[in-house]
Amino acid sequence: MRREIRAEPYRIKMVEPMTLPSRERRVARMVEAGYNPFSLRSRDVYIDLLTDSGTGAMSDLQWAALLSGDESYAGSDSFYRLEQAVQAVMGFRHVIPTHQGRGAENVLLSTLMPEGGKLVPNNMHFDTTKAHVLHKRGEPVDLPVPVAYSPSVRQDFKGNMDSEALESLLSRRRADVPLIIMTLTCNSGGGQPVSMANLREVSQIAGRYGVPFFLDACRFAENAYFIKEREPGYAACSIGQIVREMMSYADGCTMSAKKDALVNIGGFLATNDPALYRQATVWAVLFEGFPTYGGLAGRDMEAMAQGLYEVIDEEYLADRIGQVAYLAERVRLAGAPIVEPPGGHAVYIDAGALLPHLKPYEFPGWAMSVALYIEGGVRAVEIGTVLAGRKAGTGEHDHPRLELLRLAVPRRVYTHRHMDAVGDAVAAVVEKKRQLPGLFFTYEAPVLRHFTARFGTLQEWPG
Ligand code: PLI
């Protein structure tokens, strides 16, 4: 039986002061930022839920580990400690450190798809994975289970891949598929977990067709916790056992250590395939650095190794996922619909449903992100039309099926009282929802427009 968690399973040894700027200042900063939360300075943000990536707090043991970093160019002891941690926690034999997750994606895809014109199936690609597939002149193919697109339907494993669709793709196009990726948890689909049964099934299909199967393991421990909580047969297993079984179905993984290795920078590629490992080290040397540092300092690898052991602690995970569930409840009580059930790292507000008076081309998710900052100093990120960009052929907006606002919770940083403040900010936005104006671009970059865009408002912003 899981122990009841009453409070955060840590106490705070160091604090970082922050303050809520006045409403007047928030309005002024948002206007200066061209209505783009990415252009705000972090000092003007009260509670920053832009991302859970690289924004977590390290433990005392991780800070202590930094001091034992071996900064040798080759053969660093810190690399071997990282390698040992990956072997022990995930069960993969070969490890190549990289500067962050996208570095590992680049090395893996350079190794497995040196020629263009290939299809890469994934439950749902995260932006960087999609961008790397496109950069290699391949075609990213999202194959989520259909329920992934029904935000209000509560199901346990909405991150699963549609295995029939995968089988159908492979039966027609096997020669064009260089690898299969599964993203754990499925970030673009609301942080939803993948079941062990689905991992096993996809692994069997990949094996039958002889296609390498890799996991995007950014949030592997959060995924394992959901399996323990929800999947029959796993309640009595430890998180460590579940993680090793999950990984056993794959040929390897890419990892952004900025999430479930509890560090502020870093990543790695891991695999059991010695030939693939040898090939990948060639690209790693070119893009990242010598294979025993991969663009990282020795001290970064020390902190990562320690983080990998800490993240599979069940008490930590119960608190972490419990905090996201608590925020979800606050947001529901505030009257905003969310992607149900809440995922492991974030709450996704269904801004399209909350602001039906705004058309997708008036950017409801983005308008909500502006409103959340103005009302409560909270920064979040739109996952909707602005992020999706334009279609290559026609230049029209590539409207996604959902217009969402993601509230991503950094690990071990905020308390439940911060989550209460976020809930209050959402309630203040809901109160004004009918008056929120749509937005239009005053500056739009040709690629990754969301980072640098500037906007005007279609009506005056409500006071
Ligand atoms: O930001 P990187 O390069 O360390 O990791 C890229 C990356 C890969 N896969 C997945 C599922 C991610 O979520 C991811 C990064 N996510 C970010 C930055 C986020 O805000 O969700």
Side-chain angles (χ1 to χ4, degrees):
M1 277 271 283
R2 184 156 72 80
R3 272 195 293 147
E4 192 179 351
I5 304 294
R6 292 179 183 278
E8 286 79 359
Y10 50 83
R11 53 188 179 180
I12 296 164
K13 199 177 279 212
M14 190 189 284
V15 295
E16 184 182 356
M18 58 179 209
T19 184
L20 175 65
S22 68
R23 190 172 204 284
E24 204 180 9
R25 186 177 166 95
R26 299 196 300 270
V27 172
R29 289 292 169 267
M30 190 47 95
V31 172
E32 270 170 32
Y35 293 93
N36 186 342
F38 280 104
S39 298
L40 293 169
R41 289 189 61 163
S42 63
R43 66 170 57 207
D44 293 319
V45 176
Y46 182 44
I47 298 175
D48 204 345
L49 305 185
L50 191 66
T51 179
D52 64 320
S53 179
T55 51
M58 294 207 298
S59 69
D60 50 356
L61 292 181
Q62 285 179 294
W63 282 106
L66 287 183
L67 290 178
S68 48
D70 172 355
E71 306 303 344
S72 307
Y73 189 95
S76 155
D77 267 352
S78 304
F79 166 75
Y80 292 106
R81 269 192 284 279
L82 171 64
E83 186 187 58
Q84 209 171 27
V86 175
Q87 288 167 350
V89 173
M90 297 176 140
F92 293 123
R93 175 73 201 85
H94 305 287
V95 183
I96 301 176
T98 59
H99 76 282
Q100 59 185 86
R102 66 200 70 183
E105 290 169 357
N106 189 26
V107 171
L108 178 67
L109 295 179
S110 299
T111 307
L112 287 178
M113 47 188 301
E115 301 144 28
K118 302 289 186 189
L119 305 173
V120 179
N122 198 321
N123 44 351
M124 266 195 225
H125 286 80
F126 179 68
D127 324 13
T128 56
T129 329
K130 181 175 169 182
H132 275 297
V133 171
L134 291 169
H135 184 245
K136 305 280 177 300
R137 289 168 290 119
E139 191 185 322
V141 183
D142 287 348
L143 297 178
V145 284
V147 72
Y149 293 116
S150 302
S152 58
V153 177
R154 292 184 75 95
Q155 260 186 32
D156 284 345
F157 293 104
K158 288 168 82 175
N160 280 354
M161 183 179 273
D162 183 339
S163 52
E164 277 178 31
L166 176 67
E167 179 104 48
S168 154
L169 178 76
L170 288 171
S171 66
R172 289 175 285 117
R173 305 281 302 270
R174 160 63 191 100
D176 298 324
V177 179
L179 79 160
I180 298 163
I181 305 175
M182 285 272 266
T183 305
L184 312 176
T185 56
C186 185
N187 190 8
S188 306
Q192 301 292 323
V194 174
S195 71
M196 194 73 91
N198 190 244
L199 282 172
R200 205 178 294 126
E201 201 183 355
V202 169
S203 170
Q204 282 164 359
I205 295 171
R208 252 198 330 274
Y209 286 87
V211 183
F213 175 36
F214 275 77
L215 304 177
D216 174 341
C218 295
R219 299 178 179 88
F220 72 94
E222 291 168 8
N223 199 92
Y225 185 81
F226 283 118
I227 289 177
K228 183 175 169 83
E229 289 284 291
R230 297 178 181 175
E231 192 158 350
Y234 288 95
C237 297
S238 71
I239 297 293
Q241 287 168 327
I242 294 172
V243 167
R244 281 189 296 280
E245 182 178 342
M246 282 161 50
M247 302 294 162
S248 74
Y249 295 123
D251 295 298
C253 74
T254 55
M255 176 75 189
S256 168
K258 301 170 75 170
K259 286 89 169 172
D260 272 356
L262 303 176
V263 288
N264 305 115
I265 195 69
F268 55 84
L269 170 64
T271 181
N272 281 326
D273 180 339
L276 188 145
Y277 167 70
R278 263 195 307 280
Q279 193 59 38
T281 55
V282 175
W283 293 112
V285 170
L286 184 64
F287 296 133
E288 299 291 315
F290 191 77
T292 59
Y293 77 84
L296 295 171
R299 55 182 171 270
D300 297 329
M301 294 188 282
E302 293 284 351
M304 256 160 78
Q306 175 61 26
L308 284 171
Y309 294 117
E310 287 179 15
V311 81
I312 57 171
D313 178 81
E314 197 177 328
E315 208 166 326
Y316 157 75
L317 285 167
D319 173 67
R320 158 78 178 149
I321 287 166
Q323 188 177 48
V324 174
Y326 178 81
L327 173 62
E329 186 53 23
R330 290 296 316 225
V331 172
R332 280 190 208 103
L333 287 173
I338 62 168
V339 174
E340 297 282 4
H345 69 293
V347 175
Y348 293 64
I349 295 178
D350 188 347
L354 183 71
L355 308 174
H357 64 290
L358 298 184
K359 302 282 176 281
Y361 57 80
E362 294 169 334
F363 313 138
W366 202 276
M368 175 125 194
S369 75
V370 171
L372 199 60
Y373 176 72
I374 289 178
E375 295 305 327
V378 176
R379 180 157 67 169
V381 70
E382 184 244 29
I383 308 228
T385 292
V386 177
L387 180 79
R390 291 185 184 272
K391 291 181 187 162
T394 61
E396 291 163 15
H397 293 305
D398 190 5
H399 293 297
R401 297 206 201 180
L402 300 171
E403 298 286 343
L404 303 174
L405 181 71
R406 185 184 76 171
L407 311 177
V409 184
R411 294 167 181 80
R412 306 191 289 205
V413 170
Y414 295 116
T415 66
H416 275 33
R417 279 179 67 198
H418 291 112
M419 298 301 114
D420 289 340
V422 177
D424 290 346
V426 173
V429 173
V430 170
E431 227 169 78
K432 293 187 177 162
K433 65 180 179 180
R434 282 187 193 82
Q435 303 153 51
L436 292 185
L439 298 159
F440 61 92
F441 281 109
T442 57
Y443 169 71
E444 181 186 0
V447 285
L448 297 175
R449 60 186 183 173
H450 53 290
F451 288 127
T452 53
R454 294 183 69 82
F455 298 89
T457 63
L458 289 166
Q459 282 106 41
E460 206 172 311
W461 201 269

